[in-house]
């Protein structure tokens, strides 16, 4: 096949491209320029898509003997990922920019351009599998190495996109094997640190970064009964489950720490309370997409058993789910028999059956039967 290898400049994408070449495909490497700031540099494991990453991607392609290009997607990235991140925080939600980047950039804009240029597939270094059902339809599954599995951040992929995805690292048992293979192939990125945190906030100071882009106004910090405990400098700077930085000045009556339970940007309030109230029993999701052909229960609206994961490195938990219509829109309702802690609106919930990703939704509401937040005015 004619394959476009997305080259991030890291070891995973380099080895994935090498395997695609070795498999006999006609491979072309491309690095996505997501920022127009020429001074953007990498700081250890922080940041990605930097000048250093672009150079590392070029060296890998040169070693593999494949063409290398840089595509400028900075405008799309600024609008679909960065601005979405700001808008979500401004609305009091906690977004996942990596999900938006995969959805809007790597497997929408990139794949769209690749297909227009005659490529058959896009190859990346993600740890996930694309399998086929008995009728040849693509399904997204967890990778062999669950410790490195990235099927969660790929949960936004659609049936059509999965049909053109190639993940050569799917069956690799460990990251150590990938690094050893890179070294054996003479790739200079063999020992390059993995990137983490938000790529466009390389110093990790999300609160400071947001403060420059959102009009933060002082407001009240109240407890679960509506009693004012203190003041904050901007509700959007907080996230559900947060413990540090509340600066309340006095402990709770029981001496235990308080946690952020809810953020209300319209009222400019932050509600805090005991850790026990962080557990939620029901999640309601919007912006739903299905990774492959939906199972019959999704079409009929029947309840089905599944597992749900709400963080890239979180553990999946047992759940029951069903589809329903609410105010003219589809809603994915997930019930959690054992509860789940620290879930925030804006997070992505990915639904699994076994190793298969069924689909994903953005959490619009997280409800708890042990605490009714609507009573807090």
């Amino acid at each position: 096949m004619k394959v476009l290898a997305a080259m991030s400049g890291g070891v995973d994408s380099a080895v994935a491209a090498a395997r695609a070449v070795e498999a006999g495909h006609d491979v072309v490497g491309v690095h996505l320029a997501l920022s127009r700031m020429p001074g953007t540099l990498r700081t250890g494991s922080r940041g990605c898509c930097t000048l250093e990453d672009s150079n590392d991607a070029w060296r890998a392609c040169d070693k593999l003997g494949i063409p290398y290009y840089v595509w400028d997607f900075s405008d799309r990235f600024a609008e679909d990922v960065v601005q979405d991140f700001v808008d979500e925080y401004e609305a009091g939600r906690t977004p996942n920019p990596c999900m938006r980047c995969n959805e809007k950039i790597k497997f929408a804009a990139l794949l769209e351009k690749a297909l227009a240029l005659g490529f058959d597939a896009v190859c990346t270094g993600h740890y996930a599998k694309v399998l086929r059902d008995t009728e040849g339809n693509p399904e997204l599954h967890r990778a062999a190495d669950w410790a490195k599995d990235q099927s969660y951040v790929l949960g936004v992929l659609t049936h059509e996109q999965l049909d053109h995805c190639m993940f050569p690292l799917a069956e690799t048992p460990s990251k150590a094997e990938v690094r050893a293979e890179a070294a054996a192939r003479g790739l200079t990125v063999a020992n390059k640190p993995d990137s983490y945190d938000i790529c466009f906030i390389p110093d990790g100071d999300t609160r400071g970064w947001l403060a420059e882009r959102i009009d933060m106004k002082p407001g009240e910090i109240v407890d679960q009964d509506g009693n004012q405990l203190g003041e904050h400098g901007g509700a959007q700077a907080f996230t559900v489950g947060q413990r540090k930085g509340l600066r309340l000045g006095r402990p709770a009556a029981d001496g235990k720490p308080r946690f952020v339970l809810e953020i209300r940007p319209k009222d400019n309030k932050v509600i805090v309370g005991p850790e026990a109230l962080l557990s939620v029993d029901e999640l309601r999701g919007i912006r739903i997409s299905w990774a492959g052909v939906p199972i019959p229960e999704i079409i009929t609206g029947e309840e089905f058993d599944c597992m749900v994961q709400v963080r890239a490195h979180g553990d999946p938990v047992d759940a029951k789910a069903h589809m329903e219509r609410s105010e003219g829109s589809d809603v994915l309702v997930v019930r959690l028999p054992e509860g789940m802690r620290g879930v925030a609106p804006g997070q992505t919930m990915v639904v699994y059956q076994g190793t298969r990703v069924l689909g994903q939704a953005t959490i619009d509401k997280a409800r708890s039967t042990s605490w009714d937040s609507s009573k807090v005015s």
Side-chain angles (χ1 to χ4, degrees), residues 236-251:
Q236 298 89 343
F238 294 83
T239 188
V240 171
Q242 180 177 331
R243 172 185 172 183
K244 296 181 180 180
L246 301 180
R247 300 175 184 173
L248 297 177
R250 64 182 188 275

Side-chain angles (χ1 to χ4, degrees), residues 189-208:
V189 293
N191 295 311
K192 185 176 180 178
D194 291 339
S195 61
Y196 63 88
D197 287 336
I198 302 169
C199 66
F200 51 88
I201 311 178
D203 64 0
D205 183 13
T206 302
R207 178 178 292 193

Side-chain angles (χ1 to χ4, degrees), residues 127-289:
Y127 290 76
K129 295 180 188 178
V130 175
L131 302 179
R132 301 276 173 174
D133 66 14
T134 54
E135 298 181 357
N137 296 305
E139 295 179 351
L140 179 63
H141 286 256
R142 290 191 185 276
D145 180 8
W146 277 44
K148 288 295 295 180
D149 173 64
Q150 292 174 301
S151 60
Y152 173 85
V153 296
L154 298 176
V156 292
L157 299 185
T158 64
H159 178 282
E160 293 76 14
Q161 291 169 334
L162 287 172
D163 220 14
H164 299 281
C165 288
M166 180 184 292
F167 304 127
L169 304 187
E171 300 292 347
T172 307
S174 72
K175 180 62 175 274
E177 183 172 308
V178 172
R179 292 194 181 280
E181 182 178 333
R185 292 181 181 274
L187 297 169
T188 59
V189 293
N191 295 311
K192 185 176 180 178
D194 291 339
S195 61
Y196 63 88
D197 287 336
I198 302 169
C199 66
F200 51 88
I201 311 178
D203 64 0
D205 183 13
T206 302
R207 178 178 292 193
W209 188 89
L210 286 170
E212 296 177 358
R213 292 160 177 82
I214 295 177
D215 183 19
M216 302 279 191
K217 296 180 180 179
E220 296 180 357
I221 297 179
V222 301
D223 65 16
Q224 70 272 22
D225 298 314
N227 302 309
Q228 183 174 354
L229 302 176
E231 291 188 351
H232 61 74
Q236 298 89 343
F238 294 83
T239 188
V240 171
Q242 180 177 331
R243 172 185 172 183
K244 296 181 180 180
L246 301 180
R247 300 175 184 173
L248 297 177
R250 64 182 188 275
D254 59 5
K256 295 182 179 180
R258 300 182 181 91
F259 296 79
V260 174
L261 303 178
E262 186 178 330
I263 302 156
R264 294 184 177 175
K266 291 184 178 179
D267 301 329
N268 202 24
K269 284 185 179 180
V270 174
I271 304 174
V272 300
E275 186 176 13
L277 296 186
L278 284 173
S279 181
V280 297
D281 313 290
E282 181 185 279
L283 307 177
R284 299 179 68 83
I286 57 175
R287 301 181 191 171
I288 306 159
S289 65

